[in-house]
Amino acid sequence: EEEALLKELKACRNKEMPLIFSLALSTGMRRSEVLGLQWQQVDLKRGVIYLEPDQTKSREDRMVILLPEAIKAIKSIPKKDERLFHYTIEGFKTVFSRVVKRAGLVDIKLHDTRRSFISRVLTEITASPVTIADMIGAKSIGNLQRTTLNPLKQSAIIDAKRMRTEEDLRMVVGHKNSQTTARYANTAPARLATSTTARKTFTGAKE
């Protein structure tokens, strides 16, 4: 999906379209945050973007840490004036919807790049909800954990076809904390502890 969409974005007459997508994908920033950026807010030497309170959903200033792919995306943006991009939110929304249709995709929004960014961070950098929330400007860590992090982790377990850690097991059985899982494990009938089937199911062990 990402490749098909990027191909159509690059075909747009306005060459800002693929650049906006690339920056959103590499930073996890919201649409309004990306479209409202000015060059004075970008510090490539320090590798950060400074967002003002009136630009963020939480109405608090935020420092966006730029990963290498984000720095590369910013360096590819031509400087015309003080703004990085010149779309209004509604204008971008209209054009993006047309691009999605041309790519043969359904229900794809720029906001989906936040989920893709979080998925990359989980895989390559950290699994800490606090760190990820800070990186993308999510005010509620609990909401981020429930709506995005847990589903992504569960999907990874399914793709791997095995559970490698106690946390993996806790997520699959739906326990809110490790203490509950440990209590269940300690009170399980002895025959289950030695069952080949149970061992294969919960640890991925082979016969």
Side-chain angles (χ1 to χ4, degrees):
E1 290 185 350
E2 190 176 301
E3 291 182 3
L5 183 57
L6 189 56
K7 179 180 178 180
E8 289 298 331
L9 286 167
K10 288 180 178 179
C12 290
R13 283 181 295 179
N14 190 326
K15 299 307 176 184
E16 287 188 358
M17 289 298 293
L19 298 175
I20 292 169
F21 180 81
S22 294
L23 187 57
L25 187 64
S26 59
T27 61
M29 292 170 65
R30 296 179 176 88
R31 179 180 59 196
S32 60
E33 295 171 346
V34 173
L35 295 179
L37 278 178
Q38 296 190 3
W39 284 108
Q40 65 182 6
Q41 296 175 265
V42 180
D43 186 342
L44 290 180
K45 286 187 178 181
R46 292 197 64 199
V48 296
I49 287 175
Y50 301 97
L51 294 178
E52 300 294 334
D54 62 352
Q55 292 178 298
T56 67
K57 187 176 180 179
S58 64
R59 295 304 175 193
E60 297 176 355
D61 58 0
R62 185 167 102 248
M63 186 170 64
V64 179
I65 299 173
L66 300 175
L67 301 180
E69 57 266 31
I71 292 176
K72 182 179 179 181
I74 291 173
K75 286 182 175 180
S76 68
I77 301 171
K79 288 187 178 182
K80 299 177 181 178
D81 51 40
E82 71 276 5
R83 295 181 59 185
L84 274 70
F85 306 113
H86 302 81
Y87 270 105
T88 62
I89 290 179
E90 287 304 315
F92 177 83
K93 187 177 178 180
T94 299
V95 175
F96 191 77
S97 295
R98 292 174 185 163
V99 171
V100 169
K101 288 182 180 179
R102 287 204 304 267
L105 304 174
V106 180
D107 294 330
I108 298 295
K109 296 178 174 59
L110 190 69
H111 193 76
D112 294 323
T113 57
R114 280 172 67 80
R115 186 181 178 90
S116 296
F117 176 76
I118 292 170
S119 179
R120 287 191 175 96
V121 172
L122 272 174
T123 304
E124 302 171 9
I125 301 176
T126 179
S128 166
V130 176
T131 302
I132 295 174
D134 188 54
M135 290 179 75
I136 67 170
K139 197 165 186 178
S140 171
I141 296 175
N143 186 58
L144 173 67
Q145 182 91 50
R146 183 176 62 258
T147 63
T148 305
L149 298 184
N150 285 350
L152 284 172
K153 290 178 181 178
Q154 288 167 346
S155 179
I157 293 171
I158 292 170
D159 291 342
K161 294 183 174 59
R162 65 177 297 178
M163 289 171 278
R164 294 183 173 85
T165 67
E166 181 182 319
E167 183 184 7
D168 291 349
L169 173 58
R170 178 177 62 79
M171 293 183 63
V172 169
V173 299
H175 290 161
K176 290 185 177 181
N177 55 62
S178 57
Q179 288 81 4
T180 302
T181 305
R183 186 169 69 250
Y184 271 76
N186 291 334
T187 59
R191 64 179 182 276
L192 289 181
T194 57
S195 166
T196 302
T197 302
R199 186 160 49 81
K200 286 177 61 182
T201 301
F202 290 100
T203 68
K206 296 181 179 179
E207 290 184 333

